[in-house]
Amino acid sequence: MKIAISPRRLRETKPRTLALSVAFLGILATVPFASAQESPTPGFNNKIPESILSPNEVKTQIGTLEFFDGIPTKESAALLFENLDLSRGVQTFLNGMPAANFEAGRAGHIALGQVEANQVVIFDELMDSNSLFLTGNAGTVYATSFLDLERDGPTVVEIPAGTGPGIMVGSFTRNIIDMGPPGPHRGQGGKFLILPPSYDEADFEGLVPQGVYTIASSRSYAVWLLLRGFLVDGKPDYSSELFRNGIKIYPLSTAANPPEMEFIKGSGTEFNTIHSANYEFYEELHAVIDREPIEFLDPELRGLFASIGIQKGSPFTPDERMKTILTQAAKLGNATVRALFWAERDQSEFLYEGSYWKRGMIGNSHEFLADQGLGGRNIDARAQYFYMATFNSPAMVWKLIGRGSQYAWGYLDREGDYLDGGKSYKLNLPGDAPAEKFMSIVVYDSQTRSMLQTDQPFPNKNNKRDELITNDDGSIDLYFGPEAPEGKEANWIQTVPEKGWFCLLRLYSPTEPWFDKTWRPGEIELVK
């Protein structure tokens, strides 16, 4: 490349400027120019990187896409929009599960007649397999109720001393506050004042007597309360009476004369609290989004849901094309979350090296944050957790010696194969279980994720309730299968041929050996 400088310009140039100009020319002489070395891309003046160009024909998993110089044909655009709507439908299924989960629980309570704050569904004789309740527990007395803060305003919840771990969650199944031993009163009972989204907690503190209430704010109008009561001498009577005499729920506006409590029978009752796995899932999600304040979810989630027609203040009325796509999306979403759980890809979720016991709170964060938030929200962990479980609490991941609860999923055998109800299995649990209250194993149906329905209404074994056969070393062998092994009936949980199953290991008031892993359950082993 040549650059000409006229003699007159040279004479007028100051020496320092001339020196800089000569140096600049020297630099230019060393710079390679693409236009001089490479041929221009056809249709352009320069060579264009291939990475930014779109070919006229692109083969993809959804078919062959055609373009005119980067412009998709009408047929290709239609195919791409089908794929976009389908993918957003699947992502809505996976990300909307906490809300649909909550709404299904609310609908189940309404079906039982629980519609007012002073009404509580109580499992006086424990929860059995008649109830479709995600991984419900057959070893504690449940008392459960839904609050309506939009209708009732600030609402008081009184719980008695001696209550086990309790949880209160909002409409996206986010924890509002823990109760019982993990809560602020450390199991000594107390009064909670639950504020609706429109109330400012700091401003409200001066409106009630100092120290009377523990105040908690909800981001949603609907709130789900679940209390657990422990067995005493292997029986539910103590906690049943404790709840019936000690639970009080009422709007703050009626504090001077609260309505009388009403308890609704839950034990032995057939009712469903599980969200749909088909198109109806999106209707359940829309019910939540339309009911709750807009700030209830962040704009990213609202935008995702709105992209398929689920938006606050608007009816959810997809046309036939979109309804067909969402029907397919629900099938894919349901299949995907089942793959996430049963085909775990994250090896860090396993509690022990060489083991298939998976940690109870997947991701080990009740907010589902990866790497203390550096990895953002672990949306896969959140999806599979709420597909399998209902409630969410920081106490489930905290190390609370003698106060909290810990869980482990048993869903594969020693070889990493799924558990087949037509086969027989054995599980060894070492002695000195690391749980002050109790340790239990409950068996669940792989379809409903509720307690497995067999001739045993309570498909579980509890080390403080059941008279189990103990080995000489203090350990316990549990047996799972369609038939009891001879002489081991007391330690047997029945399963069903041609049905899958999984189990949860529960530890209430866990002790140090669980956390330091000096106590470790055996693997589930195939016997025959």
Side-chain angles (χ1 to χ4, degrees), residues 334-466:
N334 180 62
T336 299
V337 73
R338 286 176 174 272
L340 287 172
F341 182 80
W342 268 281
E344 180 62 66
R345 296 190 296 177
D346 184 354
Q347 299 300 303
S348 68
E349 291 302 329
F350 299 123
L351 282 167
Y352 316 98
E353 185 176 352
S355 172
Y356 285 106
W357 284 103
K358 183 157 60 174
R359 70 176 76 253
M361 177 62 78
I362 297 164
N364 206 37
S365 165
H366 83 285
E367 297 176 300
F368 305 99
L369 298 177
D371 298 327
Q372 289 77 49
L374 294 176
R377 190 86 63 197
N378 188 336
I379 55 178
D380 287 349
R382 182 176 64 187
Q384 61 174 302
Y385 178 80
F386 285 116
Y387 193 76
M388 309 301 290
T390 301
F391 287 92
N392 178 19
S393 164
M396 297 171 70
V397 297
W398 289 342
K399 182 179 178 179
L400 298 174
I401 300 295
R403 290 194 287 118
S405 57
Q406 289 289 306
Y407 307 80
W409 302 96
Y411 66 110
L412 299 172
D413 69 11
R414 178 183 286 279
E415 305 303 320
D417 296 324
Y418 61 76
L419 302 171
D420 184 339
K423 299 177 181 179
S424 296
Y425 299 85
K426 176 183 175 181
L427 167 65
N428 179 263
L429 298 172
D432 297 323
E436 292 180 4
K437 293 297 183 181
F438 70 86
M439 173 185 70
S440 74
I441 290 281
V442 184
V443 170
Y444 300 98
D445 188 306
S446 59
Q447 283 281 10
T448 66
R449 294 94 69 207
S450 301
M451 281 186 261
L452 187 68
Q453 295 184 349
T454 67
D455 296 332
Q456 298 174 330
F458 302 103
N460 81 314
K461 294 300 176 183
N462 184 311
N463 72 325
K464 296 294 181 68
R465 182 186 66 185
D466 300 308

Side-chain angles (χ1 to χ4, degrees), residues 17-279:
T17 305
L18 179 60
L20 290 174
S21 299
V22 172
F24 176 67
L25 291 175
I27 293 172
L28 286 177
T30 66
V31 176
F33 284 82
S35 59
Q37 297 179 4
E38 300 180 69
S39 301
T41 299
F44 295 90
N45 294 334
N46 311 100
K47 177 65 176 177
I48 305 299
E50 291 289 336
S51 60
I52 69 174
L53 297 176
S54 294
N56 288 338
E57 184 177 282
V58 180
K59 294 182 178 180
T60 73
Q61 287 184 320
I62 65 171
T64 299
L65 306 175
E66 297 182 346
F67 299 83
F68 167 72
D69 198 27
I71 304 170
T73 64
K74 291 181 179 180
E75 293 77 12
S76 292
L79 188 61
L80 287 164
F81 283 132
E82 292 275 321
N83 181 65
L84 182 61
D85 290 338
L86 178 64
S87 65
R88 285 177 173 167
V90 172
Q91 288 303 315
T92 293
F93 188 98
L94 297 176
N95 286 281
M97 208 170 298
N101 184 321
F102 181 97
E103 189 63 15
R106 179 173 171 271
H109 281 64
I110 292 173
L112 288 180
Q114 195 271 304
V115 293
E116 302 293 339
N118 63 309
Q119 296 174 320
V120 173
V121 178
I122 187 168
F123 292 81
D124 297 286
E125 299 172 10
L126 305 178
M127 179 181 287
D128 60 32
S129 59
N130 285 294
S131 303
L132 294 178
F133 200 102
L134 290 178
T135 52
N137 188 359
T140 56
V141 176
Y142 281 136
T144 172
S145 180
F146 277 79
L147 313 183
D148 186 343
L149 302 181
E150 185 175 29
R151 178 193 63 198
D152 296 335
T155 299
V156 177
V157 176
E158 299 182 19
I159 67 169
T163 297
I167 306 174
M168 190 173 286
V169 297
S171 285
F172 204 66
T173 323
R174 285 181 294 223
N175 181 267
I176 296 172
I177 195 167
D178 283 307
M179 298 172 167
H185 304 139
R186 298 295 187 265
Q188 298 306 306
K191 294 183 179 182
F192 295 84
L193 180 61
I194 312 304
L195 301 183
S198 57
Y199 282 75
D200 187 289
E201 186 173 322
D203 294 340
F204 201 79
E205 287 178 350
L207 301 180
V208 296
Q210 186 68 28
V212 172
Y213 301 107
T214 295
I215 300 177
S217 295
S218 172
R219 295 169 64 176
S220 64
Y221 292 122
V223 171
W224 192 350
L225 165 69
L226 179 84
L227 300 176
R228 301 180 183 93
F230 293 121
L231 304 181
V232 175
D233 296 326
K235 299 178 181 180
D237 305 40
Y238 169 82
S239 290
S240 172
E241 184 177 352
L242 183 73
F243 285 159
R244 285 181 174 273
N245 294 329
I247 294 177
K248 301 287 187 293
I249 306 175
Y250 51 89
L252 181 63
S253 60
T254 68
N257 186 27
E260 185 177 347
M261 292 298 297
E262 178 184 341
F263 291 92
I264 301 169
K265 179 183 177 182
S267 295
T269 305
E270 296 180 28
F271 74 112
N272 177 35
T273 65
I274 301 175
H275 65 76
S276 301
N278 56 16
Y279 171 79

